[in-house]
């Protein structure tokens, strides 16, 4: 989709993880080499597109603090220089590139779950909604209680499985209530959680990342 | 020092306590309903304030400044309180606070067993388990805040810092009153319940010689103390008795009256969605012929000064106990407050209880959050609770890693392994391939439904989409190989 807009995409295959899972679970020491690796890998990029809001939140909220704690001025300088070039997917399109209509067609009903990190840490606001509204054929349905967490929370989902599932049950009930065919978000982790509950309960609602919807240009939306 | 925070030392780990709370459908309905109501009221009262964000920042600044100079302001408060006729006592921990209170009660009330004291609005006394200490000394504490009274009569524990009986609905409250007040005909109409409570309490207000209160704030510049509330029971409790004992955590001090301009706007709106509280009682020392003729303040540390040392941990002491973070928390919403093991539940409980006790207890609480940030968003003094949670998780993990059991725990081993895998993309790709092969034995109808170990927590009630045959990475590499040309051609076309 980004290439369709006329940009060049590079995917450094050496990349692995931004360190969020380790850091948020309390494995701070273990997260440092991952952060260093990430910064190293993307240091020279013109813009870094991260299709996961919580990873961007990890970078913006913690990278500076971590680099400061490392007492490594070069590392800290790299972090400072890289961060302004890091964009969450919808931020990149709407804020950095100034595009709302990416030329997509997707004739389906969709509801949008504003994931916690995109909503409360990145403050992406209505950028994703603007993108969805510009998609041809797409019927955007309002998700009730949309700002409530889906219950994923990284390792929370396995450390506190019962509470996590209780939260998920509320979220999925709201998703089903909309009657949408598809639920979308800016975080695949939340979508994995939402999918897990929907699928177990036999629901036919699909989960798709916003990028998957925006990629579609076929008149059918490319869904099987 | 013996720092006690409620019953946290005997409390099961959060996931276990939460699991049993989740089985109580009535409790969950009550909590969801009550938090919805307060949450919506708060939102209305916050939306109407054009300067809300400025007020939050101001509240945060006032607290940060005060905490940075806490010793100074505490001494100033103590000096001015005593100049006005009060007496200040310093309690290092729960035991000291309780024995100071018991000695004062004995001094003024005598040693006759069953001596009644009335109490109002003091979560801090729940923190130090004062009622148990008083009862053990033969003193009968009577809670007079309506919700606290319901909790006490029901032999229950408070589940919310502002609305302690939030987990009970009217029918359950009616049943407690019927039984404990001998009113078999009582209905669950709010007027009837209020009348029953009023009758029950009025007598006790009038006959008690000694009252115990908490405080929402203490003013250093004047030595004044204040309580805000909705019922008026607090006002009676702090004005009717001859002797008043007020228990205050040391972090509750504010420099001057002017600071109330901020706090008295943010606190009621955050706590109960009111523009201001119906009753705001502020008193200074002793006034001859008016109100209690003896006034004692117990300033409680109970682990608080330890938090001052660390910049991130210190933030927790800024809390004004409005309860907004509880009402906003999606975890609290599911479990209610009891699962947290003390009066301090929800997000603030998850950071306060473990810190007060140097992580000796409540070690599972920092992990009882999805880090969704709803608490931070509503906090009127801008405590970055998710940040503090992550900080505390780090402390717990580092401490655990120092023990053999912690080193060998399944979690630690998994996290170390994954960290190693993530440090090299070849290992990462190999792991992906391995997982793709390994998962086949757990697949049913194309889904992962029954994974072993920690992942089993996932698949017990959720499915997991299997790893696709071709990862993005594989697709990219394949495309890269035969796509170089096509892309060059495309670029030419564009040009
Ligand atoms: S942490 Fe903030 S929101 Fe929670 S009770 Fe304290 S002041 Fe209120």
């Amino acid at each position: 989709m980004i290439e369709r807009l006329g940009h060049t995409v590079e995917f450094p295959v050496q990349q692995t993880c931004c360190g969020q899972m380790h850091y948020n679970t309390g494995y701070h020491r273990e997260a440092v080499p991952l952060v260093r690796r990430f910064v190293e890998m993307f240091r020279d990029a013109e813009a870094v597109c991260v299709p996961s809001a919580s990873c961007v939140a990890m970078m913006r909220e913690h990278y500076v603090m971590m680099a400061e704690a490392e007492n490594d001025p070069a590392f800290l300088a790299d972090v400072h220089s890289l961060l302004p070039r890091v964009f969450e997917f919808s931020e990149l399109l709407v804020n950095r590139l100034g595009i709302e209509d990416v030329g997509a067609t997707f004739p389906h009903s969709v509801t949008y779950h504003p994931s916690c990190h995109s909503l409360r840490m990145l403050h992406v606001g209505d950028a994703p909604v603007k993108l969805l509204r510009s998609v041809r054929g797409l019927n955007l349905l309002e998700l009730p209680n949309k700002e409530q967490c889906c219950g994923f929370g990284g390792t929370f989902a396995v450390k506190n499985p019962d509470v996590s599932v209780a939260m998920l049950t509320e979220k999925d009930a709201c998703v089903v209530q909309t009657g949408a065919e598809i639920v979308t978000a800016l975080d695949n982790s939340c979508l994995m959680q939402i999918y897990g509950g929907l699928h177990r309960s036999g629901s036919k609602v699909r989960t798709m990342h916003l990028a998957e919807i925006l990629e579609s240009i076929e008149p059918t939306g490319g869904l099987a | 020092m013996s720092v006690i925070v409620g019953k946290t030392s005997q409390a099961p780990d959060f996931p276990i306590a939460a699991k049993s709370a989740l089985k109580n459908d009535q409790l969950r309905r009550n909590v969801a309903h009550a938090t919805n109501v307060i949450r919506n009221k708060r939102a209305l009262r916050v939306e109407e304030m054009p300067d809300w964000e400025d007020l939050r920042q101001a509240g945060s600044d006032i607290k940060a400044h005060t905490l940075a100079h806490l010793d100074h302001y505490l001494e100033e408060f103590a000096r001015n309180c005593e100049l006005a006729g009060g007496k200040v006592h310093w309690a290092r921990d729960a035991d000291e606070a309780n024995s100071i209170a018991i000695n004062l009660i004995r001094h003024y009330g005598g040693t006759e067993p069953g001596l009644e004291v009335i109490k109002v609005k003091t979560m801090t006394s729940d923190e130090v388990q004062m009622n148990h200490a008083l009862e053990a000394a033969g003193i009968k504490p009577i809670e007079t805040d309506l919700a606290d009274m319901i909790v006490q009569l029901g032999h229950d524990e408070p589940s919310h810092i502002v609305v302690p009986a939030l987990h009970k609905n009217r029918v359950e409250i009616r049943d407690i009153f019927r039984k404990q007040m001998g009113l078999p005909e009582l209905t669950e109409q709010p007027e009837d319940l209020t009348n029953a409570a009023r009758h029950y309490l009025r007598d006790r207000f009038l006959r008690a010689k000694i009252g115990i209160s908490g405080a929402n704030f203490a003013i250093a510049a004047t030595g004044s103390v204040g309580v805000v509330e909705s019922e008026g029971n607090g006002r009676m409790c702090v004005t009717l008795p001859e002797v008043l004992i007020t228990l205050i955590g040391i972090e509750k001090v504010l420099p001057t009256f002017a600071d109330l301009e901020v706090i008295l706007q943010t606190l009621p709106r955050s706590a109960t969605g009111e523009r201001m509280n119906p009753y705001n009682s502020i008193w200074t020392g002793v006034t001859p012929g008016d109100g209690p003729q003896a006034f004692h303040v117990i300033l409680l540390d109970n682990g608080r000064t330890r938090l001052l040392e660390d910049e991130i941990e210190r933030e927790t002491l800024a809390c004004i106990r409005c309860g907004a973070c509880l009402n906003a928390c999606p975890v609290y919403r599911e479990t209610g407050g009891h699962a947290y093991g003390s009066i301090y539940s929800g997000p603030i409980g998850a950071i306060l209880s473990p810190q007060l006790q140097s992580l000796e207890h409540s070690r599972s609480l920092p992990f009882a959050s999805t880090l969704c940030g709803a608490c931070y968003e509503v906090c009127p003094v801008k405590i970055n609770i998710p940040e503090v949670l992550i900080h505390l998780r780090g402390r717990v993990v580092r401490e655990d890693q120092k023990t053999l059991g912690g080193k060998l725990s399944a979690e630690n081993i998994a996290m170390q392994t994954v960290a190693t895998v993530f440090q090299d993309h070849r290992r990462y790709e190999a792991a992906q391939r391995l997982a793709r092969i390994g998962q086949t034995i757990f697949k049913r109808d194309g889904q992962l439904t029954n994974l072993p170990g920690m992942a089993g927590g996932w698949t017990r009630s959720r499915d997991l989409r299997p790893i696709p045959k071709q990862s993005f990475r594989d697709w990219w590499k394949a495309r890269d190989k035969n796509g170089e040309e096509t892309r060059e051609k495309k670029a030419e076309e564009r040009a």
Side-chain angles (χ1 to χ4, degrees), chain B residues 336-456:
Chain B
H338 291 158
Y340 293 80
S342 86
I343 170 71
Y344 303 127
S345 55
I348 182 61
I351 58 172
L352 183 59
S353 306
Q355 290 182 89
L356 288 177
Q357 301 167 105
S358 301
L359 296 181
E360 252 174 67
H361 306 294
S362 310
R363 290 171 79 84
S364 61
L365 289 188
F367 299 90
S369 164
T370 61
L371 308 177
C372 82
C375 47
Y376 180 29
E377 186 177 51
V378 296
C379 178
V381 288
K382 292 181 91 163
I383 301 173
N384 190 341
I385 296 178
E387 191 67 56
V388 184
L389 286 166
I390 294 173
H391 166 84
L392 294 175
R393 291 175 183 191
R395 272 184 62 187
V396 171
V397 166
R398 278 194 300 280
E399 279 182 17
D400 282 351
Q401 285 175 337
K402 286 192 194 124
T403 69
L404 190 62
K407 254 193 221 97
L408 298 177
S409 76
E411 179 187 301
N412 187 46
I413 291 173
M415 293 303 268
Q416 300 304 331
T417 313
V418 174
T420 317
V421 169
F422 281 174
Q423 273 164 48
D424 184 327
H425 72 284
R426 282 171 305 250
R427 271 180 242 147
Y428 178 82
E429 286 163 11
Q432 261 189 347
R433 279 193 299 276
L434 200 65
R436 203 175 301 139
I437 299 162
Q439 68 185 351
T440 47
I441 46 173
F442 300 106
K443 242 198 273 196
R444 201 187 323 135
D445 302 332
Q447 294 295 313
L448 299 180
T449 51
N450 187 23
L451 289 178
M454 255 181 38

Side-chain angles (χ1 to χ4, degrees), chain A residues 3 13 15-16 22 24 27 29-30 37 120 148 157 159 164 170 193 195-196 199-200 207, chain B residues 39 333-334 367 370 372 390 393 401 411 415-416 422-423 447 459-460 462-463 465 473 479:
Chain A
E3 286 178 346
V13 289
Q15 66 176 303
T16 57
H22 284 88
N24 281 359
Y27 291 79
R29 195 168 39 79
E30 291 79 356
R37 189 181 169 85
R120 282 181 280 263
Q148 190 150 308
K159 284 168 96 77
S164 173
E170 281 201 48
Q193 162 92 340
Y195 169 89
H199 197 273
R200 179 61 62 93
T207 51
Chain B
R39 208 149 83 165
R333 176 190 168 84
E334 301 296 342
F367 299 90
T370 61
C372 82
I390 294 173
R393 291 175 183 191
Q401 285 175 337
E411 179 187 301
M415 293 303 268
Q416 300 304 331
F422 281 174
Q423 273 164 48
Q447 294 295 313
T459 50
R460 227 182 359 258
R462 283 163 290 204
D463 288 344
R465 212 200 304 253
R473 225 167 249 275
R479 195 187 86 133

